[in-house]
Amino acid sequence: MYDNMMKVKFELESLDGKITKEFEADDCESWMALVLQFGDFLSAQYGYGVSERLRFVTDFPLGRERDYAISTEDWAWLEKHKAKFKEQSEMFNDWGDDE
């Protein structure tokens, strides 16, 4: 174990009670790894892949974050073309005002 550990606690509270996950992590743990663990916690509670929908903009992913990373260059390309993607998706929108 590492010398500098931190306790991490995720908690969801509803009228039915609390659901908690506690664990220790190295204080050098990346924030991305912690966000992925929170996504896993939510996925387990809600029954669908929250973590699978996460993406991190970084040019230096480590460990598990590699599977969820998008480079800053790719992100810039997506931002540049976002308007075009929106236009294309609206062509197939069934919620149009033409009724």
Side-chain angles (χ1 to χ4, degrees), residues 29-83:
E29 190 83 35
S30 79
W31 66 268
M32 290 178 279
L34 293 174
V35 169
L36 283 170
Q37 288 189 43
F38 183 63
D40 294 343
F41 171 69
L42 292 175
S43 296
Q45 301 312 313
Y46 294 115
Y48 57 87
V50 174
S51 296
E52 299 305 316
R53 291 171 173 83
L54 294 172
R55 294 297 175 264
F56 303 106
V57 179
T58 179
D59 290 321
F60 305 103
L62 301 171
R64 182 177 173 209
E65 295 102 76
R66 285 187 195 111
D67 296 335
Y68 301 90
I70 183 170
S71 70
T72 52
E73 182 180 326
D74 289 341
W75 180 256
W77 184 89
L78 284 172
E79 283 294 303
K80 181 179 175 185
H81 295 86
K82 186 171 31 176

Side-chain angles (χ1 to χ4, degrees), residues 12-19 46:
L12 291 175
E13 186 172 353
S14 69
L15 296 175
D16 298 331
K18 288 183 186 180
I19 301 166
Y46 294 115

Side-chain angles (χ1 to χ4, degrees), residues 78 81-93:
L78 284 172
H81 295 86
K82 186 171 31 176
K84 181 179 179 182
F85 295 144
K86 185 177 180 185
E87 283 177 23
Q88 289 174 348
S89 69
E90 287 175 351
M91 290 187 328
F92 301 99
N93 186 355

